[in-house]
Amino acid sequence: MTRSKLISGLKPVLFTLPAMVPFALFWLAPLLYVLYLSFTEWDFMSPEKTFVGLQNYTDLLSNPAFYQALRVTALFCAGSVLPIILLGLGLALLMNRKLKGSALYQVLLFSPWVTPTVAVSIVWSWIYEPDVGLANTVLRFLGLEPIGWLQDPKWALIGVLLVTIWKSVGWAMIFYLVALRNVPSDLLEAGELDGASPVQKFLRITLPLISPTTLFLFVVQLISALQAYDQINVLTQGGPSGSTRTLLYLYYQSAFESFQIGEASTVAVVLVFLCMLLSVFSFSISKRTTHYQ
């Protein structure tokens, strides 16, 4: 190989090296270490780790708590991602009409996003208080029975989801608002001249043109839902009866409450695999549904 060909071959490596070094140090190496820990039994205190092979995976797959956490994770993802996207789009369409005081409404709707999740969750824990909380006070005023928002297994996940949606919907609205304002007006005018109704213009012109934003919000919110921890820890600590315990919270309980690091690492590996699977699925679907100008 000549010197010029060698330099040409090394160029891509040199250009990507600044990004690959932190990627290898802070993502790949810890991931491989967690994969190794998933094959061991370790209490986080002992200097020795006992190699147990696939035992942790066998125990996890025979543990009912794992399947409950998997079901709660799926419900949490579906119950947060779709409402955030739909409500964000609806609010953006409303704000795009240039209502009086629109800028103030945008600031108010976006403000929960810049507030720390722990602070938001503490405020909502007061709102959900069963006896004197605002939520049950409103229900009593309307003549309805009060609800055990965080104490009843049937309502606890809904209570956490409402907090998650309320916090993120303003963020999604801002992205959609920018996307809507970038839709070429000449295309909308051409559709109007062809006799298209407002609904037809939205479905045939606007929605396809903002589909990259929808894909971005879907992927980011899906990853955010899989990583949800703060609001669950503050509001319910995974309870009652595991009704709000996601896979990430199961990992936390196994690692830092039970000190079963091998078992916790197994949950982490499953969670990473799930993230990768959902990402591949999302991008494969997007090839058919996303349109770039």
Side-chain angles (χ1 to χ4, degrees):
M1 180 182 294
T2 64
R3 184 179 177 182
S4 60
K5 285 186 177 179
L6 180 62
I7 293 174
S8 178
L10 285 175
K11 272 185 180 178
V13 178
L14 293 175
F15 282 128
T16 57
L17 200 58
M20 293 304 293
V21 169
F23 173 79
L25 284 177
F26 301 111
W27 192 84
L28 189 58
L31 180 64
L32 292 175
Y33 186 60
V34 168
L35 183 63
Y36 160 71
L37 288 178
S38 70
F39 296 112
T40 66
E41 185 177 344
W42 185 36
D43 61 2
F44 209 46
M45 304 292 177
S46 171
E48 295 182 359
K49 306 175 185 67
T50 306
F51 186 79
V52 295
L54 295 173
Q55 187 61 45
N56 286 328
Y57 290 91
T58 306
D59 293 344
L60 184 68
L61 294 176
S62 60
N63 185 359
F66 167 70
Y67 293 102
Q68 184 191 31
L70 193 61
R71 184 179 67 84
V72 171
T73 303
L75 290 174
F76 189 86
C77 290
S80 61
V81 175
L82 297 179
I84 287 170
I85 289 177
L86 293 176
L87 287 173
L89 178 58
L91 288 171
L93 289 170
L94 193 62
M95 296 298 165
N96 201 36
R97 292 179 176 274
K98 298 179 181 177
L99 299 173
K100 189 176 180 181
S102 174
L104 176 62
Y105 297 142
Q106 290 174 37
V107 170
L108 292 175
L109 289 167
F110 184 68
S111 58
W113 176 254
V114 297
T115 307
T117 307
V118 172
V120 166
S121 302
I122 290 173
V123 172
W124 275 86
S125 68
W126 297 338
I127 294 173
Y128 284 148
E129 208 283 329
D131 297 323
V132 296
L134 179 62
N136 279 346
T137 301
V138 172
L139 290 178
R140 289 191 190 94
F141 178 77
L142 297 174
L144 302 173
E145 289 293 323
I147 292 171
W149 291 98
L150 304 178
Q151 297 76 30
D152 189 339
K154 291 186 295 184
W155 286 96
L157 185 61
I158 295 174
V160 177
L161 281 171
L162 287 176
V163 177
T164 307
I165 294 167
W166 178 80
K167 188 177 188 308
S168 302
V169 71
W171 180 77
M173 177 198 70
I174 293 296
F175 276 89
Y176 270 128
L177 202 53
V178 174
L180 288 173
R181 288 173 181 172
N182 285 333
V183 173
S185 58
D186 55 340
L187 288 180
L188 296 173
E189 290 168 2
E192 195 169 343
L193 289 173
D194 288 340
S197 66
V199 175
Q200 287 175 324
K201 284 194 294 180
F202 174 74
L203 294 177
R204 302 287 178 84
I205 300 173
T206 304
L207 205 55
L209 291 177
I210 64 172
S211 57
T213 302
T214 302
L215 172 65
F216 168 76
L217 291 173
F218 180 80
V219 172
V220 171
Q221 286 300 326
L222 185 62
I223 293 172
S224 178
L226 289 170
Q227 295 176 340
Y229 169 77
D230 292 346
Q231 62 269 50
I232 296 172
N233 190 40
V234 173
L235 292 170
T236 61
Q237 290 85 46
S241 304
S243 59
T244 60
R245 183 169 54 206
T246 60
L247 281 176
L248 186 64
Y249 205 81
L250 178 64
Y251 162 80
Y252 168 79
Q253 289 182 322
S254 299
F256 303 109
E257 291 181 4
S258 303
F259 297 104
Q260 298 294 327
I261 302 302
E263 180 183 306
S265 300
T266 308
V267 177
V269 170
V270 171
L271 192 57
V272 170
F273 176 75
L274 193 59
C275 285
M276 294 172 65
L277 194 64
L278 288 173
S279 298
V280 171
F281 176 74
S282 301
F283 282 104
S284 64
I285 292 293
S286 72
K287 289 180 181 177
R288 286 176 288 175
T289 58
T290 305
H291 303 272
Y292 296 95
Q293 295 184 50

